[in-house]
């Protein structure tokens, strides 16, 4: 499973990129707004840090404007993926951009039927939101499992990007279900490193080594 960071914060992206395990980045209008810079500027800076697919979302909600905004976003960098909300005009824009060879990430997916439409429109990526479904008292991971099954039934090429992953368990379950990509905030990626037995084991190794050879 590819690991993407779900952030527009450059410090977090630099830290993640330095570990050598970040394959791409997802942003959304809320994450861009948090950084306070215009989307073109922020996304260009992100592309300089991470060499992989970088999703940048349109804010237009009507077909024609969505397509125009999408085309404009792709001019920023060759790695830009145009993110479109899963509404009627968004799916139509996905189809139009796909016919121009522009790659899209159809976002705000909460139901398998929506994902079927995005795949039929030629989306490069579909983004089902696991955490936000859990917030409603339902099981977000069930949606990932359904999408893996449906896309495999019909050999759709659209990649399933498990989004809104808030816990290490969300990441593990997404990988078990067969999601192609998991996108997560920096703190979730950072938490994946942690295990108390790793810390305890390392402490013991170093103690034993120091006892035998000193602190050389
Ligand atoms: O960027 C889309 C998604 O990952 C947002 O996550 O935690 O705001 O539901 P969250």
């Amino acid at each position: 499973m590819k690991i993407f960071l779900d952030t527009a914060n450059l410090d977090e992206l630099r830290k993640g990129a330095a570990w050598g395990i970040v394959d791409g980045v997802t942003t959304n209008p809320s994450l861009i707004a948090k950084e306070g810079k215009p989307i073109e500027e922020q996304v260009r800076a992100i592309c300089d840090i991470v060499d992989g697919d970088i999703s940048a979302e349109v804010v237009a909600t009507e077909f024609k404007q969505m397509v125009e905004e999408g085309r404009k976003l792709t001019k920023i960098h060759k790695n830009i993926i145009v993110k479109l909300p899963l509404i009627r005009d968004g799916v139509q824009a996905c189809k139009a951009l796909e016919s121009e060879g522009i790659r899209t990430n159809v976002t705000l997916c909460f139901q398998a039927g929506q994902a079927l439409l995005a795949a039929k429109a030629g989306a490069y990526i579909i983004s089902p939101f696991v955490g936000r479904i859990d917030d409603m008292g339902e099981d977000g991971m069930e949606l990932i499992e359904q999408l893996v099954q449906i896309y495999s039934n019909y050999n759709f090429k659209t990649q399933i990007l498990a989004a809104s992953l808030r816990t290490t368990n969300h990441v593990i379950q997404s990988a078990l279900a067969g999601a192609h990509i998991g996108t997560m905030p920096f703190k979730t990626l950072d938490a994946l490193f942690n295990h108390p037995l790793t810390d305890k084991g390392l402490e013991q190794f170093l103690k034993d080594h120091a006892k035998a050879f000193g602190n050389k």
Side-chain angles (χ1 to χ4, degrees):
M1 184 173 77
K2 289 184 198 159
I3 289 183
F4 283 16
L5 270 174
D6 193 31
T7 180
N9 183 276
L10 304 185
D11 290 335
E12 290 182 343
L13 289 168
R14 278 188 205 102
K15 275 190 223 161
W19 288 328
I21 49 167
V22 173
D23 302 300
V25 180
T26 48
T27 68
N28 61 39
S30 307
L31 294 171
I32 294 288
K34 223 160 111 186
E35 303 308 314
K37 299 248 172 68
I39 185 163
E40 291 78 11
E41 193 182 325
Q42 196 65 24
V43 165
R44 195 168 295 118
I46 292 171
C47 291
D48 287 341
I49 298 169
V50 176
D51 183 21
D53 290 345
I54 313 292
S55 289
E57 189 162 341
V58 304
V59 287
T61 53
E62 281 168 23
F63 169 67
K64 204 165 162 278
Q65 288 87 336
M66 289 172 114
V67 170
E68 278 163 16
E69 207 182 320
R71 287 188 192 125
K72 216 168 122 198
L73 287 170
T74 62
K75 302 274 183 293
I76 301 173
H77 195 278
K78 65 174 174 41
N79 289 347
I80 297 293
I81 311 299
V82 177
K83 211 169 169 189
L84 302 160
L86 212 160
I87 56 176
R88 287 169 181 77
D89 289 55
V91 169
Q92 194 182 346
C94 169
K95 184 74 191 168
L97 290 169
E98 191 262 347
S99 68
E100 295 177 19
I102 292 175
R103 296 174 301 167
T104 59
N105 173 352
V106 177
T107 189
L108 290 168
C109 172
F110 295 94
Q111 209 242 8
Q114 294 179 311
L116 184 61
L117 301 179
K120 289 193 73 69
Y124 173 68
I125 288 173
I126 181 74
S127 289
F129 279 30
V130 175
R132 291 193 194 185
I133 295 175
D134 287 359
D135 291 345
M136 303 284 289
E138 290 165 30
D139 181 6
M141 208 48 68
E142 211 174 281
L143 178 59
I144 304 296
E145 288 160 8
Q146 289 176 353
L147 265 56
V148 169
Q149 178 70 60
I150 291 171
Y151 282 11
S152 126
N153 286 350
Y154 298 100
N155 205 18
F156 283 123
K157 297 284 169 281
T158 306
Q159 296 177 80
I160 300 162
L161 180 152
S164 188
L165 303 181
R166 282 98 176 252
T167 64
T168 51
N169 199 39
H170 274 159
V171 179
I172 295 163
Q173 294 304 321
S174 298
L176 278 171
H180 302 97
I181 308 163
T183 194
M184 62 205 76
F186 180 81
K187 73 169 181 351
T188 306
L189 177 63
D190 190 52
L192 281 173
F193 284 96
N194 300 336
H195 196 284
L197 290 181
T198 304
D199 298 338
K200 199 174 161 216
L202 178 60
E203 198 187 328
Q204 191 63 49
F205 287 161
L206 297 180
K207 214 185 274 170
D208 292 344
H209 190 270
K211 210 194 271 169
F213 305 110
N215 283 320
K216 284 181 214 153

